[in-house]
Amino acid sequence: MSFKKVVVFPAKLENLAAIDALIKSTAELAGLDARSIYAIRVATEEACSNIIRHAYQGIEDGTIECGCYSNMDSFTLVFRDSGHVFDLTGVPSPDLDSCLEDRKAGGLGVYFIKQLMDEVSFEHIPGTGNVLTLVKYLTPDSEKSST
Amino acid sequence: MSFKKVVVFPAKLENLAAIDALIKSTAELAGLDARSIYAIRVATEEACSNIIRHAYQGIEDGTIECGCYSNMDSFTLVFRDSGHVFDLTGVPSPDLDSCLEDRKAGGLGVYFIKQLMDEVSFEHIPGTGNVLTLVKYLTPDSEKSST
Amino acid sequence: MEYIVEKLKHCDLLSISGRIDSQSAPELSEALDKIMESGQHKIVLDMSEIEFISSAGLRILINAQKKCKQQLVAGELVLAAVPERVHEALDMAGFLPLFTIEDELTHAVGNI
Amino acid sequence: MEYIVEKLKHCDLLSISGRIDSQSAPELSEALDKIMESGQHKIVLDMSEIEFISSAGLRILINAQKKCKQQLVAGELVLAAVPERVHEALDMAGFLPLFTIEDELTHAVGNI
Ligand SMILES: Nc1ncnc2c1ncn2[C@@H]1O[C@H](COP(=O)(O)OP(=O)(O)O)[C@@H](O)[C@H]1O
Ligand SMILES: Nc1ncnc2c1ncn2[C@@H]1O[C@H](COP(=O)(O)OP(=O)(O)O)[C@@H](O)[C@H]1O
């Protein structure tokens, strides 16, 4: 099965649940296994909340375009925004070994996205905006559990 | 529906569960409501454990004959033993109001039987033994829940 | 009757299941005695899985409650998750004022 | 996200359910702050009904754990009844060594 679905949301935290509902139902339709679906949902929350909180910081009325593309081999998410330019692929991993006092509370979102997805790429198209592409491969297992 | 069922058990504590199973299935068959069935089961345990522990105290190889008699109006239990003669109908109620330190641990069994059953009578038939008869009336409610 | 003891920081949690009659009541008694002999007199009794209890079982409870409360540092036997029929038996025995009865196991363990 | 706080003798039991994302995480933060402001720094978090949690939720947990442990009489935020997906997120974040995690709510409340 191969399909695509694209929806534009106002860049507001209160839309995170609606974005999640879209991604979840689309990933289920694509036949992903429960584990992959949950991974994609977390990655989506992290990506979209960063766009809302950081990319559109100080900017009103921003939008996020959420695109889901499914084919035999993979499930691809494309998030487009027109906020500040930021290439998250360059963000270094957080220190996950320090003791409680030294542990940073934040800085986990980008790390989660990279851990949970198989491909993460960023592109800035001048005049258009930021394009974040996240890919999850369909494993034989996830294909099996799709039947 | 009207029926009877009579079974003889060796008077041993390890047979209490088997006696309970008999009484329970018979009371269910008679169409009693769950509350009445539980009441009858408790009364049976109290009566039979008293026969085993007290009536046959110092006596080996005693038996308890358990009779269940069901008709339209009531469910009757008759327990027969050939142990020491004891008319439990004469046992006074325990003091249920004293403080923890003064509270007696025992002496609740006979009280429970009297509370839970609608009629309690004792007869000693010389040469035959003790006959304890417990009756539970079938309420309109319990008849309804029997369908 | 079957039982499990879980030793927690604030109490021992004794979970009993099945049938407690004159035959099995001594097992309940031993389980409680073992806990008290270990020095723990704060005991939560999870009664949720009791299918049947007669006065022989109640007798054990009142004896254990007496021992727990007699300690220099008073303990307590708290009854938790009491099924309806068991509650009725406790009521009929006049035991309700003598025990703390908690609906939720977590409350029993958290409040003892 | 929905939550209930139950004040027990040994701790406050905070049960949260639903979705904890960047939108709802502040509610979790407030719930924890209110408990700590009341002077209680022993907190059991019942996570059994969490359907979804993102790093925004984890951030709240680590901040609360820091505050609890910094007290003169050290408290603790104990995580209880953690669903598998939430456990995986805690693992990915490297949080497992920083929290006591209890499978059973009664153990969490009884051991804190
Ligand atoms: N879309 C974005 N636009 C601008 N800055 C971003 C974006 N995503 C992430 N960042 C920056 O990267 C940092 C790390 O992001 P993240 O790992 O999600 O942690 P957190 O958001 O908790 O700080 C953020 O603090 C922010 O400075
Ligand atoms: N079938 C019996 N035969 C002889 N004595 C009995 C019998 N049933 C009861 N008793 C006496 O009556 C007392 C009260 O009985 P009961 O209320 O069941 O309490 P418990 O058995 O706990 O003492 C018993 O202690 C016993 O002395």
Side-chain angles (χ1 to χ4, degrees), chain A residues 50-51 53-55 84 86 88 91 106-111, chain D residues 55 59:
Chain A
N50 276 351
I51 291 170
R53 292 179 301 133
H54 301 304
H84 307 300
F86 180 81
L88 60 75
V91 173
L108 288 168
V110 170
Y111 178 72
Chain D
S55 69
R59 174 201 285 264

Side-chain angles (χ1 to χ4, degrees), chain B residues 59-131:
Chain B
I59 302 173
E60 293 284 310
D61 300 326
T63 60
I64 308 176
E65 183 192 289
C66 300
C68 310
Y69 303 85
S70 170
N71 64 32
M72 296 256 296
D73 306 316
S74 62
F75 187 81
T76 301
L77 290 164
V78 179
F79 299 107
R80 293 168 189 268
D81 71 77
S82 53
H84 306 302
V85 183
F86 182 82
D87 183 358
L88 60 74
T89 62
V91 173
S93 289
D95 177 2
L96 300 183
D97 294 318
S98 54
C99 66
L100 182 66
E101 298 92 73
D102 302 337
R103 192 67 62 104
K104 296 241 170 58
L108 289 169
V110 170
Y111 178 73
F112 276 16
I113 294 171
K114 290 178 182 171
Q115 290 289 309
L116 294 168
M117 302 302 289
D118 295 308
E119 290 178 20
V120 178
S121 58
F122 175 81
E123 196 186 354
H124 175 72
I125 305 177
T128 302
N130 304 306
V131 184

Side-chain angles (χ1 to χ4, degrees), chain A residues 114-135:
Chain A
K114 290 179 182 169
Q115 290 288 311
L116 294 169
M117 302 302 289
D118 295 308
E119 289 178 20
V120 178
S121 58
F122 175 81
E123 195 185 355
H124 177 71
I125 304 176
T128 301
N130 304 307
V131 185
L132 177 64
T133 304
L134 309 180
V135 182

